[in-house]
C-alpha cells in the first residue's frame, strides 16, 4: 500500500490497485503511472484549439492524450478516455522518443511541438517531463492543457519543461469545486500562480448556468488573474470564457450566448486579453 502525492485526492492505494484517477497504480509499495506512454488520442491541431491565442498564433501542435482523470466533472466532453479503463480503450504505447520524432516529422506542416491534453496529463506527469525534454532537445515547443489539480511538487517538476499552458479555472467557489467537480480550487490557484512565473499562461473558464455564471464570480476571477505574476497578469494572461453544452451526466440547457459575451465584457474591465469560446 502507498499514498499518492500527485493531487488533492491523496489516494491510499492498495498493492495492485489504482487510485481515483484510474491511471496511477501501486506496484511493489510504490505509486507508478500505469498510463505511462499509453496514447489514446493524437492529432495535429491548431494552437488556438488548446486554446492558446497569444502563443505562436497560426501554428499547429501535435496533441496527445492518454487515459484517466483526477476530477469528476459531470459535463466532461472527453469522458470516454477520462473515466474509461485501459482494457476498454483503443490505445498503444508510444515512447517519448517516438513522440518526439513524430513532432519533428510534422514541423514542415507548421507544427511547433507537442501538447499534452485531452485527458488529464498531470496524473502521468513523468511521461510529460520525459517527452518534453526530448522535444526541447529537438528545438521545439511544449504545451500543457490541464485542470491544474496537482501538488506543488508536480507543478515545479513539470513547469520547468513546459513553454505554454492553458489551465482550467472552472469557478471561484470551494463549494463548486468540491461538491460538483470533486477537486480543489486552492490547489488549482496555487498551480496557476506558480506556473505563470515560469511559462506563458492562459486560463479557461467553462460557464455553467446556475453554477458560475454570475457577474460577481467573473469579477473575482478576472481580478485574481490580473494579479498573477506580480500584477502582470492583466497584460500577459489571456482568459478564455467558454460556453457549456450538455454533456455526459449534465443535461441542463446550454449557456446562453449573450451571457458569455456579457461576462467577457465584465472580465475585460480587468484583463487585456479575453476570448469567448463555443459561441
Amino acid at each position: 500500500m502507498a499514498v499518492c502525492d500527485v493531487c488533492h485526492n491523496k489516494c491510499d492505494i492498495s498493492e495492485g490497485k489504482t487510485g481515483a484517477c484510474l491511471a496511477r497504480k501501486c506496484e511493489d509499495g510504490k505509486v507508478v503511472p500505469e498510463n505511462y506512454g499509453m496514447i489514446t488520442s493524437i492529432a495535429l491541431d491548431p494552437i488556438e484549439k488548446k486554446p492558446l491565442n497569444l502563443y505562436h498564433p497560426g501554428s499547429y501542435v501535435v496533441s496527445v492524450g492518454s487515459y484517466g482523470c483526477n476530477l469528476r466533472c459531470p459535463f466532461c466532453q472527453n469522458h470516454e478516455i477520462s473515466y474509461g479503463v485501459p482494457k476498454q480503450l483503443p490505445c498503444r504505447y508510444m515512447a517519448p522518443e517516438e513522440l518526439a520524432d513524430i513532432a519533428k516529422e510534422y514541423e514542415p506542416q507548421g507544427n511547433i511541438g507537442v501538447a499534452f491534453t485531452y485527458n488529464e496529463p498531470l496524473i502521468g506527469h513523468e511521461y510529460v517531463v520525459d517527452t518534453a525534454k526530448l522535444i526541447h532537445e529537438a528545438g521545439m515547443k511544449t504545451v500543457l492543457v490541464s485542470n491544474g489539480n496537482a501538488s506543488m511538487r508536480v507543478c515545479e517538476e513539470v513547469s520547468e519543461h513546459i513553454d505554454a499552458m492553458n489551465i482550467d479555472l472552472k469557478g471561484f467557489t470551494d463549494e463548486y469545486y468540491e461538491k460538483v467537480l470533486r477537486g480543489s480550487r486552492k490547489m488549482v490557484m496555487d498551480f496557476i500562480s506558480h506556473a505563470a512565473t515560469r511559462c506563458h499562461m492562459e486560463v479557461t473558464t467553462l460557464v455553467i448556468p446556475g453554477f458560475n455564471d454570475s457577474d460577481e464570480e467573473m469579477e473575482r476571477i478576472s481580478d485574481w488573474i490580473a494579479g498573477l505574476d506580480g500584477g502582470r497578469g492583466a497584460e500577459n494572461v489571456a482568459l478564455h470564457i467558454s460556453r457549456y453544452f450538455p454533456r455526459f451526466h449534465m443535461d441542463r440547457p446550454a449557456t446562453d450566448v449573450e451571457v458569455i459575451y456579457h461576462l467577457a465584457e465584465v472580465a475585460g474591465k480587468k484583463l487585456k486579453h479575453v476570448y469567448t469560446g463555443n459561441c
Side-chain angles (χ1 to χ4, degrees):
M1 182 172 287
V3 177
C4 182
D5 69 346
V6 165
C7 76
H8 62 292
N9 288 313
K10 297 180 181 178
C11 294
D12 197 351
I13 309 174
S14 300
E15 184 69 26
K17 303 297 184 180
T18 57
C21 66
L22 305 177
R24 299 191 70 80
K25 184 178 183 179
C26 181
E27 288 186 357
D28 299 323
K30 296 181 180 180
V31 179
V32 298
E34 188 181 41
N35 68 343
Y36 186 99
M38 299 305 294
I39 302 301
T40 61
S41 312
I42 184 166
L44 184 64
D45 286 337
I47 195 75
E48 290 83 2
K49 191 176 178 181
K50 298 305 94 189
L52 289 170
N53 283 28
L54 303 181
Y55 189 77
H56 293 273
S59 63
Y60 289 83
V61 63
V62 170
S63 302
V64 295
S66 184
Y67 64 85
C69 186
N70 54 358
L71 294 187
R72 287 297 180 268
C73 303
F75 45 77
C76 181
Q77 64 178 0
N78 290 322
H79 58 88
E80 294 91 349
I81 60 173
S82 293
Y83 308 131
V85 293
K87 62 184 179 182
Q88 298 173 345
L89 295 169
C91 60
R92 77 171 182 89
Y93 177 72
M94 187 177 292
E97 294 80 3
E98 182 181 358
L99 184 49
D101 288 343
I102 290 173
K104 200 68 178 177
E105 178 185 346
Y106 282 91
E107 196 170 22
Q109 281 74 49
N111 178 47
I112 63 169
V114 167
F116 304 94
T117 180
Y118 300 139
N119 74 309
E120 176 45 55
L122 293 177
I123 58 174
H125 63 92
E126 296 91 343
Y127 182 75
V128 171
V129 171
D130 291 346
T131 306
K133 290 177 180 178
L134 297 179
I135 297 299
H136 281 161
E137 287 177 10
M140 305 187 80
K141 304 297 184 182
T142 56
V143 170
L144 178 77
V145 182
S146 168
N147 64 38
N149 271 263
S151 67
M152 191 50 58
R153 175 186 71 80
V154 172
C155 180
E156 290 174 348
E157 287 183 17
V158 171
S159 60
E160 180 181 351
H161 304 285
I162 297 295
D163 298 303
M165 296 186 186
N166 186 295
I167 306 297
D168 289 337
L169 182 56
K170 296 176 184 287
F172 218 68
T173 66
D174 292 331
E175 182 178 15
Y176 179 55
Y177 257 95
E178 293 169 8
K179 293 186 178 180
V180 179
L181 312 177
R182 310 281 181 85
S184 167
R185 179 174 68 108
K186 183 182 185 302
M187 183 170 276
V188 176
M189 292 170 66
D190 288 346
F191 187 100
I192 294 173
S193 294
H194 181 77
T197 68
R198 306 289 295 275
C199 66
H200 175 75
M201 175 65 66
E202 302 192 23
V203 174
T204 294
T205 299
L206 181 70
V207 176
I208 313 271
F211 284 107
N212 61 352
D213 57 348
S214 70
D215 287 16
E216 179 185 5
E217 187 149 347
M218 186 53 64
E219 287 169 356
R220 294 176 64 200
I221 288 173
S222 56
D223 186 58
W224 182 79
I225 291 174
L228 291 172
D229 195 17
R232 290 181 283 271
E235 292 283 329
N236 299 333
V237 178
L239 173 62
H240 300 262
I241 302 174
S242 293
R243 184 184 182 208
Y244 149 85
F245 289 97
R247 292 288 188 275
F248 197 27
H249 296 313
M250 184 170 281
D251 59 1
R252 63 178 54 206
T255 315
D256 189 280
V257 173
E258 294 305 318
V259 170
I260 300 297
Y261 291 149
H262 171 71
L263 292 177
E265 291 180 0
V266 171
K269 296 176 182 178
K270 294 289 181 67
L271 305 175
K272 181 178 180 180
H273 305 286
V274 180
Y275 303 95
T276 57
N278 298 336
C279 292

